[in-house]
Amino acid sequence: MKFIHCDTNEMYITLHDCKVTRAYLRDGILGFDFEDGFWISPDHPHSNFTQLVKTDASKVEYILEDGDGYDVTVYVFKRNFFGKTIRTEWTVCDFVQKVNCGECEPEFLYQYIDGIARIVECVLNFKKKPYYGECQMKIYASKVNYYWNNLCEDRTW
């Protein structure tokens, strides 16, 4: 899919409550497709709205610092039978595969940025028990590209 807009300024874009429909890792890029779009601030140069508005289908690409899977760590948190939270580390390849086969659907919540390092907190929705888990990704990215075509005026925050 071709996109009209590509932005690298994270100041005006948020992925909060946005669900990933596809993921990929290739050529040093970790990418996520958001069929339902992501949020654009009213301060964004391409926005003529007074509140946050969602885009149409969009994608985000993290240009990995060293260009490989070692730039991404994925932790998944689930409660066990005894009510204890267990942290499991997934490889980024496992994560991408589980998203694309429909085993889990990540929903982005928060992103903390410090230079090239970022922590992305997500909720994972599963089709089987436990149906819900939490996820934290540590991503070392030298650049992030946000792609979309249109802003949807009927989809405000």
Side-chain angles (χ1 to χ4, degrees):
M1 174 179 226
K2 293 270 187 186
F3 292 96
I4 298 170
H5 302 286
C6 175
D7 201 334
T8 58
N9 188 345
E10 298 174 291
M11 200 164 113
Y12 303 117
I13 298 170
T14 182
L15 303 176
H16 185 73
D17 288 342
C18 297
K19 294 181 180 179
V20 174
T21 49
R22 189 176 79 85
Y24 53 92
L25 176 67
R26 65 174 175 261
D27 302 323
I29 296 171
L30 174 62
F32 297 103
D33 291 346
F34 298 91
E35 196 173 284
D36 199 39
F38 51 65
W39 297 100
I40 300 286
S41 160
D43 299 327
H44 192 282
H46 292 293
S47 177
N48 57 357
F49 299 99
T50 58
Q51 53 202 33
L52 281 170
V53 65
K54 234 177 187 187
T55 66
D56 54 3
S58 59
K59 76 175 178 179
V60 176
E61 290 187 334
Y62 295 93
I63 313 308
L64 301 178
E65 178 66 14
D66 292 325
D68 57 34
Y70 296 110
D71 288 331
V72 182
T73 306
V74 180
Y75 296 114
V76 176
F77 302 85
K78 293 183 187 176
R79 287 203 186 274
N80 67 10
F81 180 75
F82 303 104
K84 301 287 184 188
T85 300
I86 307 298
R87 181 182 86 169
T88 307
E89 185 174 341
W90 290 359
T91 67
V92 67
C93 292
D94 286 342
F95 181 72
V96 166
Q97 186 270 329
K98 289 173 193 272
V99 170
N100 292 337
C101 77
E103 187 176 323
C104 68
E105 179 186 58
E107 180 178 331
F108 280 51
L109 296 178
Y110 305 104
Q111 183 171 225
Y112 307 98
I113 304 168
D114 182 18
I116 64 164
R118 64 192 63 239
I119 295 175
V120 178
E121 293 187 11
C122 303
V123 170
L124 294 180
N125 297 301
F126 298 99
K127 291 183 179 180
K128 299 178 185 175
K129 281 188 177 184
Y131 302 113
Y132 164 88
E134 293 182 25
C135 173
Q136 186 179 76
M137 288 184 283
K138 292 182 180 180
I139 304 171
Y140 293 92
S142 55
K143 184 177 177 184
V144 181
N145 295 322
Y146 296 85
Y147 298 94
W148 77 96
N149 287 319
N150 302 298
L151 300 179
C152 303
E153 65 181 288
D154 61 331
R155 300 177 63 215
T156 58
W157 189 290

